């Protein structure tokens, strides 16, 4: 509001100066004889000069409003393009009618983001390579963690099932109460089986050592189809990815499927790995009970945090969409063109290092 008032006052002063200069050149020096008609001539008892002042004020207001709208429009356009910069599919070549100054700033910002992504991917690749030396220790730690979780979750549920079975044997055969107890036992045992299968998904620290991502995901899906009681549809393509990208995407798929087994109560799951338009897309979708992403509970927040961290580590764009009662979608996008640029950057750096030595 203050900016509008200042702009209006400035425009009013500018117009007043222009009008004064106009009359100065038209009527000469501002003496009483030449400028007297401005306040002597009246219309409806209002001096002519008052009409000039009112007209200049109205024009100043209109110009200020127009400038404010134009400024707000340019700001909205800039904000929209800045928000799109993080999308790997964003390209300024497809955009038209962008001011030259804004386009230059967007190009510089986009170049900086691409450089940071390349550096981040290179660091991630180097870290994955260095992790090979300690993989055996991680296997031991993972198995210990799995043993503790099996003891704390599945064992407790199986114990509860055995207690209910004991109570069932003491009841008369064909009793309605016994039938309800039996159904409770069945639900508990089924949940225990899902817990066991979900936890075993974590026991794969070297699953992709001799396999591609497509081979690893296919094997994982085929194994689950034999053990779970719901449908798993999949569409998996062979995509050339770096070791770090394959490792992280496989772990993301494991985490998403584990959450589906343990929490979603889904009857259908769809896993997709495709690469349209130079972007590899990994998507896991189920028709389970879903949850509120903004207010997710403690049972899902840890898994979602792992997915987000792994996606960020390889410079990917991830999306988690869930609707209570409808299901959940976990999607990760990997820009393939960036990998080629990263490899070229690494080769150039190695070449420069060898020339310096």
């Amino acid at each position: 509001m203050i900016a509008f008032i200042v702009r209006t006052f400035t425009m009013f002063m500018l117009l007043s100066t222009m009008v004064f200069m106009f009359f100065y050149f038209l009527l000469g020096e501002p003496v009483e004889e030449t400028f007297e008609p401005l306040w002597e001539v009246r219309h409806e008892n209002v001096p002519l000069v008052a009409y000039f002042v009112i007209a200049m004020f109205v024009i100043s207001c209109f110009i200020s409003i127009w400038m404010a709208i134009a400024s707000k429009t340019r700001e909205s356009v800039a904000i929209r393009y800045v928000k799109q910069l993080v999308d790997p599919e964003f390209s300024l070549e497809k955009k038209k009618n962008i001011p030259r100054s804004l386009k230059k700033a967007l190009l510089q910002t986009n170049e900086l983001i691409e450089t940071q992504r390349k550096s981040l991917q290179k660091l991630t690749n180097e870290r994955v390579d260095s992790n090979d030396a300690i993989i055996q220790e991680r296997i031991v730690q993972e198995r210990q963690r799995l043993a503790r979780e099996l003891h704390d979750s599945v064992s407790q549920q199986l114990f509860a099932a055995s207690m209910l079975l004991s109570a069932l044997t003491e009841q008369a055969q064909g009793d309605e109460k016994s039938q309800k107890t039996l159904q409770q036992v069945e639900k508990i045992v089924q949940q225990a089986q899902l817990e066991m299968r979900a936890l075993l998904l974590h026991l794969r620290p070297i699953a992709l050592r001799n396999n591609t991502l497509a081979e690893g995901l296919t094997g994982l899906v085929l194994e689950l189809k034999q053990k779970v009681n719901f449908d798993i549809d999949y569409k998996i393509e062979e995509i050339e990815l770096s070791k770090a990208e394959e490792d992280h995407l496989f772990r993301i798929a494991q985490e998403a499927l584990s959450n589906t087994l343990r929490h979603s109560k889904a009857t259908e799951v769809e896993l997709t790995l495709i690469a349209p338009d130079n972007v590899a897309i990994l998507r896991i979708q189920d028709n389970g009970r879903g949850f509120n992403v903004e207010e997710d509970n403690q049972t899902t927040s840890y898994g979602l945090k792992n997915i987000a961290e792994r996606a960020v580590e390889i410079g990917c764009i991830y999306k988690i969409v869930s609707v209570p009662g409808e299901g959940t979608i976990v999607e990760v996008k990997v820009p393939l063109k960036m990998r080629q640029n990263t490899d070229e950057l690494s080769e150039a750096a190695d070449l420069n290092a060898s020339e310096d030595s």
Side-chain angles (χ1 to χ4, degrees):
M1 187 63 184
I2 296 178
F4 174 77
I5 295 175
V6 172
R7 190 183 297 113
T8 302
F9 177 76
T10 303
M11 293 302 304
F12 178 76
M13 295 301 297
L14 180 61
L15 288 175
S16 299
T17 303
M18 294 174 62
V19 170
F20 176 79
M21 295 300 296
F22 172 77
F23 281 107
Y24 179 80
F25 286 108
L26 181 65
L27 303 177
E29 296 184 2
V31 296
E32 183 175 356
E33 291 78 5
T34 57
F35 281 78
E36 184 177 5
L38 293 177
W39 55 81
E40 291 295 336
V41 177
R42 295 173 176 269
H43 178 69
E44 296 183 358
N45 204 28
V46 178
L48 182 62
V49 67
Y51 286 102
F52 279 110
V53 173
I54 295 174
M56 289 186 295
F57 179 76
V58 172
I59 293 173
S60 299
C61 289
F62 275 111
I63 294 176
S64 298
I65 293 173
W66 175 81
M67 293 176 64
I69 294 175
S71 176
K72 194 68 176 179
T73 302
R74 289 194 299 269
E75 181 181 352
S76 300
V77 172
I79 292 175
R80 185 172 71 253
Y81 285 133
V82 168
K83 289 182 177 180
Q84 295 176 357
L85 282 177
V86 297
D87 192 340
E89 300 178 4
F90 175 76
S91 175
L92 286 175
E93 298 178 356
K94 303 178 182 179
K95 309 299 181 181
K96 299 180 180 180
N97 301 325
I98 302 179
R100 185 175 180 180
S101 58
L102 175 60
K103 188 172 184 178
K104 182 179 179 180
L106 290 174
L107 286 172
Q108 292 175 345
T109 305
N110 188 49
E111 182 179 355
L112 177 61
I113 293 175
E114 293 291 332
T115 302
Q116 294 296 326
R117 280 176 171 168
K118 295 172 187 176
S119 300
L120 185 60
Q121 283 193 330
K122 182 180 178 181
L123 290 174
T124 304
N125 289 334
E126 293 175 351
R127 189 182 68 175
V128 170
D129 292 336
S130 66
N131 284 343
D132 289 340
I134 59 174
I135 192 65
Q136 293 301 325
E137 180 181 354
R138 289 190 173 183
I139 291 176
V140 174
Q141 294 176 353
E142 188 73 9
R143 287 175 177 173
Q144 291 176 347
R145 184 191 66 81
L146 179 59
R148 289 195 299 268
E149 292 195 14
L150 287 173
H151 177 270
D152 295 338
S153 59
V154 180
S155 296
Q156 295 297 326
Q157 290 183 338
L158 292 176
F159 176 76
S162 65
M163 294 295 293
L164 288 173
L165 285 173
S166 299
L168 183 60
T169 57
E170 297 177 359
Q171 297 175 2
Q173 294 293 332
D175 191 353
E176 182 179 353
K177 187 176 182 180
S178 298
Q179 187 67 24
K180 291 182 180 180
T181 305
L182 182 59
Q183 292 176 353
Q184 290 179 341
V185 173
E186 184 179 1
K187 290 181 180 179
I188 292 176
V189 172
Q190 289 178 351
Q191 183 62 31
Q193 292 173 337
L194 290 177
E195 289 279 351
M196 177 72 76
R197 291 159 188 161
L199 293 174
L200 288 177
L201 285 177
H202 297 282
L203 194 60
R204 294 175 180 268
I206 56 174
L208 294 179
R209 171 167 291 183
N210 298 318
N211 296 319
T212 64
L213 175 61
E215 293 172 343
L217 289 177
T218 301
L220 179 62
V221 171
L222 293 178
E223 180 181 347
L224 287 176
K225 286 174 71 71
Q226 297 175 355
K227 297 180 179 180
V228 298
N229 56 356
F230 54 77
D231 296 330
I232 302 180
D233 295 327
Y234 64 97
K235 179 181 179 182
I236 300 175
E237 300 178 357
E238 283 286 354
I239 303 173
E240 185 179 355
L241 297 168
S242 68
K243 184 177 180 180
E245 291 168 342
E246 287 190 337
D247 180 77
H248 280 61
L249 289 178
F250 186 78
R251 302 301 180 87
I252 289 173
Q254 285 181 315
E255 193 69 53
L257 289 172
S258 176
N259 285 341
T260 299
L261 290 176
R262 301 178 69 179
H263 310 299
S264 72
K265 299 187 182 299
T267 59
E268 295 180 2
V269 177
E270 181 179 351
L271 187 147
T272 306
L273 178 66
I274 55 177
D277 301 328
N278 290 325
V279 178
I281 300 177
L282 172 66
R283 183 186 299 114
I284 299 93
Q285 180 176 354
D286 66 63
N287 66 341
R289 61 183 181 180
F291 59 94
N292 191 322
V293 178
E294 300 296 333
E295 303 175 358
D296 62 65
N297 50 49
Q298 296 181 354
T299 60
T300 60
S301 59
Y302 181 74
L304 298 181
K305 183 179 179 181
N306 283 343
I307 292 174
E309 289 178 351
R310 290 189 180 278
V312 171
E313 283 182 2
I314 54 176
C316 297
I317 304 299
Y318 74 93
K319 178 174 63 177
I320 300 175
V321 180
S322 186
V323 179
E326 297 293 334
T328 302
I329 299 176
V330 176
E331 182 178 274
V332 181
K333 293 183 178 180
V334 184
L336 299 180
K337 59 182 180 180
M338 288 172 47
R339 179 178 179 271
Q340 182 179 359
N341 294 334
T342 303
D343 294 339
E344 294 175 356
L345 181 64
S346 178
E347 292 175 0
D350 295 339
L351 180 60
N352 292 335
S354 62
E355 291 178 352
D356 294 339
S357 59

